[in-house]
Amino acid sequence: MRTNRSVFSQLLQPIDRRAFAAIVARHDGDAYDKKFKSWDHLVALIFAQTRGLCSLRSLESDFNANSGAHYHLGAGALKRATLSEANARRPVGVFADLFTRLSAQLDRQTRRDGADLVRLIDSTPVPLSRFLDFARSNGRIHGLKMHVVHDPCADRPMRVDVTPANVNDIEIGKKTEIEAGATYVFDKGYCDYAWWRQMHADGAFFVTRPKTNARFSVIAARPLGGPFEVCAGGLRGDGFTVTQDGEVALASKGDSKLPMRLRRITLERDALKDGKPQKITLITNDMHRSPVEIGALYKGRWTIELLFRWIKQHLVIRKFIGKTENAVKLQLFAAMIAFTLLRIAATHHDVTLSALRFVELVGALLFDRRPIDALDEPPPKYVARKGRPSPNQLEWTWA
């Protein structure tokens, strides 16, 4: 008798069913669905993400074709109408809170001792059809926005918020919980001087770019030195050159004045734009790091852009199986839950495959009974069991 668990069952193993039940009870997630519980809903949407399914019909037929594995998943057969109704009214908070819990679990597995606390803040658009009444436009895209706080050291999204596209990034950024000693890196879309003051008061640092109309007065210049390569243009970094470093103050009156000291660092990227070096100006309240280290922090902001590109290419967040705002948000959080479960599985089982190859194999072998760390190995060859000889069978003994 085979005792190996299916790949799908192993993928769902990090979810604590008791903790999930507490989340469902807190949000009253099973108030309207007596048979199709939140767990069934979660399993169905994660299955759609790993299989790459984007329609109710294909999800129903594919999931029900593997009915032999439903018992061990704790789920039952799927019906399109039932799933559509659950998508329309199940609270989004059920999936959002589960994602937060799984993200913290991934942090415990990938935490690095002595690593700096760095948090990247950014958003990505989720375009939707103009025929959807709930979708809003911000002048560039029509749909929703997904706001993410990302931990580049553990390569994990810490927090996810989904809002209409016309919601300003800073409105969600100000809801981020500030950690003392952490460094927050964001672009000029998060310019809010009151938020910067609060971040500094809480013992955190920030690295950002100022708006083009911001005016600063120079207080003192800082020498370009330290254990870094000095060239004719300044200090050499990885892909950029630091040309200026100095202390500045915001040249403004009234409430816009900042009580803390600021540094203004000017960089020139090696990559050319219109045939000329691209200049970047950074503003930070960090007075201890070298300008090259601060430039590297802002360059590392590209990590969150790579996260956005990966989930859009390899998870189902471009086509949606529901047409309501609630259904779209549930699918977005299901995608992030699937991403986190895949990261936990790869880390826990020491998978050496590339991320893309691992996701492809998980989707193809979801109901196979084999260890996750052996997805790329051929299945064991079947060996027929040797039967016991009959006691009535004569045995020849050769001298």
Side-chain angles (χ1 to χ4, degrees), residues 140-205:
R140 292 184 300 171
I141 62 112
H142 185 86
L144 300 174
K145 268 186 187 179
M146 187 164 64
H147 307 261
V148 176
V149 179
H150 184 64
D151 179 0
C153 297
D155 190 19
R156 69 179 183 104
M158 298 175 54
R159 173 179 171 175
V160 173
D161 290 282
V162 181
T163 67
N166 58 355
V167 173
N168 200 315
D169 289 347
I170 187 58
E171 298 301 322
I172 305 302
K174 289 190 292 187
K175 297 179 181 180
T176 303
E177 182 180 355
I178 304 301
E179 302 174 70
T183 301
Y184 293 83
V185 186
F186 42 85
D187 61 13
K188 62 179 68 177
Y190 293 86
C191 181
D192 185 280
Y193 298 143
W195 185 46
W196 294 4
R197 286 198 302 266
Q198 184 61 47
M199 199 176 297
H200 183 78
D202 291 340
F205 306 100

Side-chain angles (χ1 to χ4, degrees), residues 55-259:
S55 71
L56 287 172
R57 188 177 299 277
S58 59
L59 174 55
E60 178 191 39
S61 59
D62 196 344
F63 189 77
N64 291 341
N66 298 278
S67 58
H70 292 175
Y71 174 79
H72 296 283
L73 295 174
L78 187 62
K79 296 182 179 180
R80 295 197 308 273
T82 304
L83 177 58
S84 180
E85 292 175 359
N87 276 339
R89 61 192 181 189
R90 177 151 281 129
V92 179
V94 174
F95 284 18
D97 287 0
L98 176 62
F99 164 75
T100 302
R101 181 180 179 85
L102 290 174
S103 177
Q105 185 173 338
L106 178 60
D107 182 39
R108 290 194 294 270
Q109 290 192 359
T110 58
R111 181 174 297 169
R112 301 177 182 177
D113 294 335
D116 292 336
L117 292 177
V118 180
R119 306 289 183 254
L120 310 178
I121 306 177
D122 206 350
S123 67
T124 186
V126 182
L128 297 174
S129 170
R130 294 185 178 274
F131 295 101
L132 299 178
D133 296 335
F134 66 87
R136 296 292 181 267
S137 177
N138 63 0
R140 292 184 300 171
I141 62 112
H142 185 86
L144 300 174
K145 268 186 187 179
M146 187 164 64
H147 307 261
V148 176
V149 179
H150 184 64
D151 179 0
C153 297
D155 190 19
R156 69 179 183 104
M158 298 175 54
R159 173 179 171 175
V160 173
D161 290 282
V162 181
T163 67
N166 58 355
V167 173
N168 200 315
D169 289 347
I170 187 58
E171 298 301 322
I172 305 302
K174 289 190 292 187
K175 297 179 181 180
T176 303
E177 182 180 355
I178 304 301
E179 302 174 70
T183 301
Y184 293 83
V185 186
F186 42 85
D187 61 13
K188 62 179 68 177
Y190 293 86
C191 181
D192 185 280
Y193 298 143
W195 185 46
W196 294 4
R197 286 198 302 266
Q198 184 61 47
M199 199 176 297
H200 183 78
D202 291 340
F205 306 100
F206 61 84
V207 178
T208 185
R209 295 177 64 183
K211 288 190 173 182
T212 54
N213 59 353
R215 297 292 178 263
F216 297 91
S217 58
V218 178
I219 298 177
R222 295 170 65 103
L224 296 177
F228 297 96
E229 179 185 354
V230 180
C231 61
L235 287 181
R236 285 293 301 159
D238 184 11
F240 60 89
T241 302
V242 179
T243 57
Q244 291 182 356
D245 181 13
E247 296 185 17
V248 297
L250 186 64
S252 177
K253 298 180 180 180
D255 295 337
S256 295
K257 299 188 69 175
L258 296 172

Side-chain angles (χ1 to χ4, degrees), residues 29 32-33 36-38 40-46 48-49 53-57 59 78-92 95 134 320-334:
Y32 301 101
D33 299 280
F36 191 66
K37 303 292 186 180
S38 296
D40 302 280
H41 197 178
L42 176 68
V43 171
L45 292 187
I46 294 178
Q49 291 293 330
L53 306 175
C54 55
S55 71
L56 287 172
R57 188 177 299 277
L59 174 55
L78 187 62
K79 296 182 179 180
R80 295 197 308 273
T82 304
L83 177 58
S84 180
E85 292 175 359
N87 276 339
R89 61 192 181 189
R90 177 151 281 129
V92 179
F95 284 18
F134 66 87
F320 296 91
I321 60 178
K323 301 301 182 183
T324 65
E325 182 177 6
N326 199 75
V328 172
K329 289 183 177 181
L330 283 174
Q331 186 169 331
L332 289 173
F333 277 104

